[in-house]
């Protein structure tokens, strides 16, 4: 896949550069600083954000990603702080104990205070579905302890579906929107995302309490390969297929049907995997052929906090729509439409 920077990414980098220049003391001919409230965005590591987004916006102070803890045996790892991919993969393959937890309210409190110390006047905090984790509750507890206004959003989804909402919030914040507008823009985009996925086994989902024991045992006994989705903030079964090859083929059909039901040229895709990059690349290539109006799908490893429940061999596809602040305000300018065609790099390789 071509590694290029899409229009929205270039637009956002240019916009941030102008904002930084406008606040540089003594800069001749600088633009006046924006009047709107300066809004920071906080999220958790379940958002599966592309690495270049995290690096760029963490350095700028506009984005803070709070790591979600993953426990392998008796060891606790922080996603984004520790390299746990190989450790987790080995533990899953061996059937060792793997658990996850929510970040503490204190971690979010520190994140909000950090944004305040960088000169931001409000925070929009976007988190993994409350139906899967207590993370949003921890964020709300922290929001009550700080003086900076915090808008907490339960994304009702996971992975790059959540990440797309975060990216949309960053676009709106960089465009000088108020915290209320940033929240509205993010929620609008989150409401247009869908997550479809296939897992070779339901055992890890059963262990984590994400699916019932009866369904797990039935799938094992009958060698059923399930296709699932995130709907209403929870994991729900879509279809049961008799073989892995048929399950992946059916996953492609479901995604293509979703894309075709949306306005032409507006959809964008992300593919997640864990321990099966080559298979994810083949899936992304076929999706690119079946959905020619979409930019090439972004490929990235499922975050450890999600892989701990999905298990090895998972394939997930996120379907979302393009994002620009112009659309959020109800505009339909050509520049806004072009800028939002694809918000993330098309390929992240094995990240």
């Amino acid at each position: 896949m071509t590694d290029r920077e899409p229009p929205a990414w270039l637009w956002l980098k240019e916009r941030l550069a102008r904002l930084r220049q406008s606040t540089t003391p003594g800069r001749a001919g600088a633009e006046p600083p924006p009047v709107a409230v300066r809004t920071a965005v906080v999220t958790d590591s379940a958002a599966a954000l592309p690495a270049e987004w995290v690096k760029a916006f963490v350095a700028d102070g506009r984005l803070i990603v709070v790591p979600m803890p993953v426990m392998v045996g008796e060891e606790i790892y922080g996603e984004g702080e520790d390299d746990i991919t190989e450790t987790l993969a080995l533990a899953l393959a061996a059937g060792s104990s793997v658990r996850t937890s929510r970040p503490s309210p204190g971690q979010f409190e520190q994140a909000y205070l950090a944004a305040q110390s960088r000169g931001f006047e409000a925070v929009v905090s976007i988190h993994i579905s409350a139906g899967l984790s207590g993370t949003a509750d921890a964020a709300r507890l922290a929001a009550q302890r700080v003086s900076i206004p915090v808008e907490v959003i339960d994304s009702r989804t996971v992975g790059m579906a959540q990440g797309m909402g975060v990216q949309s919030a960053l676009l709106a914040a960089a465009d000088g929107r108020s915290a209320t507008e940033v929240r509205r823009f993010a929620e609008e985009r989150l409401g247009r995302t869908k997550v479809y996925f296939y897992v070779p086994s339901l055992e890890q989902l059963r262990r984590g309490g994400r699916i019932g024991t009866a369904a797990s045992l039935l799938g094992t006994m009958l060698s059923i390969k399930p296709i699932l989705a995130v709907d209403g903030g929870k994991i729900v079964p879509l279809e049961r297929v008799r073989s892995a090859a048929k399950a992946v083929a059916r996953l492609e059909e479901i995604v293509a049907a979703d894309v075709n039901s949306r306005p032409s040229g507006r959809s964008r895709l992300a593919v997640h995997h864990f321990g099966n990059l080559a298979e994810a690349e083949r899936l992304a290539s076929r999706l690119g052929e079946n959905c020619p109006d979409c930019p090439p799908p972004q490929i990235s490893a499922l975050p450890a906090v999600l892989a701990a429940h999905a298990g090895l061999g998972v394939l997930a596809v996120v379907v979302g729509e393009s994002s620009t602040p112009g659309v959020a305000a109800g505009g339909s300018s050509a520049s806004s439409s072009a800028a939002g065609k694809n918000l993330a790099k098309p390929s992240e390789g094995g990240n």
Side-chain angles (χ1 to χ4, degrees):
M1 294 182 189
T2 304
D3 189 19
R4 60 184 175 82
E5 290 189 335
W9 175 238
L10 293 173
W11 175 87
L12 186 50
K13 289 204 301 187
E14 292 169 0
R15 174 65 179 164
L16 290 175
R18 289 198 301 270
L19 290 173
R20 282 193 286 268
Q21 290 171 1
S22 71
T23 56
T24 301
R27 180 177 175 84
E31 300 176 13
V35 175
V37 172
R38 297 187 67 230
T39 303
V41 178
V42 172
T43 190
D44 53 70
S45 54
L49 289 165
E52 79 276 7
W53 275 79
V54 174
K55 290 177 182 177
F57 299 122
V58 166
D60 182 70
R62 193 171 299 273
L63 171 67
I64 299 174
V65 181
V66 176
M68 297 190 69
V70 178
M71 289 151 279
V72 179
E74 299 302 317
E75 296 292 323
I76 301 177
Y77 300 88
E79 180 132 41
E81 297 176 326
D82 303 305
D83 185 4
I84 60 174
T85 302
E86 184 175 352
T87 300
L88 178 60
L90 290 172
L92 290 171
S96 301
S97 172
V98 176
R99 295 169 293 151
T100 61
S101 182
R102 72 178 191 180
S104 69
Q107 288 175 277
F108 287 115
E109 184 176 357
Q110 291 176 9
Y112 302 151
L113 292 175
Q116 188 173 26
S117 69
R118 294 291 294 267
F120 291 94
E121 301 165 78
V123 173
V124 173
S125 203
I126 305 172
H127 300 293
I128 180 175
S129 172
L132 301 173
S133 169
T135 300
D137 287 338
R140 291 188 183 97
L141 287 172
Q144 297 172 6
R145 301 176 183 175
V146 296
S147 58
I148 185 172
V150 180
E151 299 265 1
V152 176
I153 299 176
D154 169 9
S155 72
R156 298 176 65 80
T157 190
V158 294
M160 264 305 296
Q162 175 186 341
M164 288 177 184
V166 173
Q167 291 174 324
S168 297
L170 285 166
L171 277 170
D175 199 45
R177 304 304 177 97
S178 69
T180 300
E181 290 176 309
V182 170
R183 174 174 187 150
R184 185 183 307 119
F185 188 47
E187 288 180 328
E188 186 178 319
R189 292 312 182 267
L190 287 166
R192 297 180 185 179
T193 62
K194 295 290 291 185
V195 181
Y196 306 102
F197 65 107
Y198 153 74
V199 291
S201 170
L202 291 169
E203 179 59 18
Q204 281 302 123
L205 288 169
R206 183 197 66 78
R207 288 185 181 185
R210 266 60 182 184
I211 198 165
T213 301
S216 175
L217 290 175
L218 181 64
T220 302
M221 291 169 60
L222 300 179
S223 298
I224 288 173
K225 303 301 179 184
I227 299 174
L228 306 108
V230 177
D231 187 33
K234 296 183 179 181
I235 295 173
V236 298
L238 280 185
E239 296 184 10
R240 297 177 176 87
V241 187
R242 286 287 184 170
S243 72
K246 290 181 179 179
V248 175
R250 182 60 183 140
L251 178 63
E252 294 173 29
E253 292 174 352
I254 291 170
V255 170
D258 187 329
V259 170
N260 291 333
S261 71
R262 299 168 186 252
S264 178
R266 289 286 300 277
S267 298
R268 43 187 293 256
L269 302 173
V271 175
H272 288 312
H273 64 91
F274 195 75
N276 52 337
L277 172 60
E279 192 176 8
E281 289 177 334
R282 290 192 292 269
L283 172 60
S285 177
R286 292 192 298 269
L287 288 174
E289 295 172 359
N290 295 334
C291 307
D293 290 337
C294 291
Q298 173 199 316
I299 304 173
S300 61
L302 201 66
V305 70
L306 302 181
H309 295 287
L312 288 167
V314 59
L315 285 173
V317 182
V318 175
V319 184
E321 294 187 14
S322 59
S323 308
T324 60
V327 176
S332 57
S333 68
S335 60
S336 291
S337 177
K341 191 170 183 180
N342 181 21
L343 204 50
K345 276 191 174 183
S347 175
E348 289 300 308
N351 287 348

